[in-house]
Amino acid sequence: MKNVSMITRKAVVISSVLTLNPLTQPDDAVGIALVYQKAFGGDPWNEGYICPVCQTVFADESGLWGYCPHCQEDKGLLIKILRYWPVNKILTDFYQEMVRPGAICLTMKDGCSVIAFAWGYEVKVNFSLDKYLEAPNLHKLIKGTFMYLDECAVLPAWQKNGCGRSLLSAFIDKSREAGKNILLRTLRGQAMHKLALRQGGGIIQNISRDRVIIMITTQ
Ligand SMILES: [Zn+2]
C-alpha cells in the first residue's frame, strides 16, 4: 500500500497593495479600524483597553478580565474596562483625515479581509504642524509641503511577512508621483523606524526619548 504523505503548507497569499476609496468602500474602512485596534492593542503600544475610573491602560489580551483589577482590589469596585480605541473613534479620525488634501489610503488583504493598511495626506510645515506632531521647531529644520504617513499597521498574525515593507514602498511611489517627500513620526527602534531607514529615510528630529520624525526623500 502506498503511503501518501500529505504535506499541508500554510499558504501565504497576500494581495498586492490596493488603493482604497474610503467613501465607496465603507466595509474596508471598518476592516482597517479592526486592524488598527488589534495592532495598537499589542506590543509595543498595548493600547487595548482603559479603565474609565483609574485610567490604567491594558494590552489587548487583558480584555479577557472584563473588569479593572486595580479598582477591584483597591476599592472593591467592579469597573468594566473599555476599548482604548473604539471602532467609531478610529473611523471618525480616519474619515476626517481622508478628506484632507492629497489623502491616500492603501490596504493589503487576505481574501476579502483587510490585514494591513497605511494612510497619509499632505501637510505643510509650519507652526501648527509642529504642534500637531508634537515636534517643537520642526518648521525651523525643514520647509515645504510633504506627504505625512500618518498611520501604518499590520494585523499581529501577519507581521514579519513583508506587509509593512510593501505598504511603505507603495506609499513612497504615490508620494513620488505627487512630487512630495515623506514625513513620518514613529517610535525609535520599532518596525516602521527600521523600514523607513532601509528605504533611505533619515531622522530629522528626536522629539522625545522614544519618538523621532523621519523624512524619506522620494525625488
Ligand atoms: Zn481602574
Side-chain angles (χ1 to χ4, degrees):
M1 195 176 138
K2 242 183 184 174
N3 201 349
V4 182
S5 63
M6 295 285 288
I7 301 168
T8 52
R9 220 175 248 268
K10 195 182 167 195
V12 181
V13 182
I14 311 176
S15 75
S16 53
V17 175
L18 308 162
T19 304
L20 175 131
N21 180 341
L23 303 178
T24 57
Q25 293 165 275
D27 291 349
D28 284 349
V30 173
I32 285 172
L34 297 174
V35 172
Y36 190 106
Q37 228 176 28
K38 287 232 166 57
F40 292 105
D43 231 21
W45 295 274
N46 297 316
E47 296 167 346
Y49 291 84
I50 185 164
C51 170
V53 173
C54 69
Q55 304 291 312
T56 307
V57 175
F58 304 96
D60 217 358
E61 64 268 24
S62 337
L64 299 172
W65 305 334
Y67 297 94
C68 175
H70 305 305
C71 286
Q72 198 166 358
E73 278 162 32
D74 301 349
K75 304 168 206 145
L77 294 173
L78 278 183
I79 306 295
K80 199 153 174 46
I81 57 175
L82 306 174
R83 264 287 177 198
Y84 189 98
W85 292 110
V87 167
N88 59 356
K89 163 86 173 92
I90 300 166
L91 287 175
T92 303
D93 291 350
F94 173 69
Y95 279 108
Q96 280 173 357
E97 284 159 7
M98 285 300 102
V99 295
R100 285 168 177 259
I104 302 173
C105 179
L106 304 169
T107 59
M108 295 183 80
K109 290 183 168 184
D110 172 31
C112 49
S113 314
V114 178
I115 56 166
F117 68 85
W119 83 63
Y121 40 84
E122 279 179 26
V123 290
K124 194 168 163 44
V125 177
N126 54 27
F127 180 70
S128 38
L129 186 73
D130 293 359
K131 279 174 73 179
Y132 182 66
L133 298 183
E134 296 165 320
N137 297 321
L138 180 66
H139 73 281
K140 291 183 182 164
L141 303 171
I142 48 171
K143 302 252 177 275
T145 305
F146 291 80
M147 281 301 297
Y148 177 57
L149 175 56
D150 186 16
E151 300 285 0
C152 180
V154 180
L155 209 55
W158 286 92
Q159 286 168 8
K160 299 187 165 70
N161 278 299
C163 295
R165 192 179 57 226
S166 302
L167 285 166
L168 182 59
S169 295
F171 194 85
I172 291 171
D173 291 344
K174 295 269 179 194
S175 303
R176 183 180 297 119
E177 285 166 26
K180 302 280 185 294
N181 292 326
I182 297 169
L183 284 184
L184 61 99
R185 193 178 87 130
T186 188
L187 287 176
R188 188 193 305 281
Q190 290 307 320
M192 181 48 75
H193 180 191
K194 293 175 190 161
L195 282 175
L197 295 190
R198 227 174 283 152
Q199 296 272 16
I203 295 175
I204 292 289
Q205 193 178 20
N206 294 291
I207 53 175
S208 66
R209 193 172 48 82
D210 56 355
R211 279 184 192 272
V212 290
I213 301 279
I214 293 176
M215 178 168 85
I216 302 174
T217 308
T218 64
Q219 304 305 305

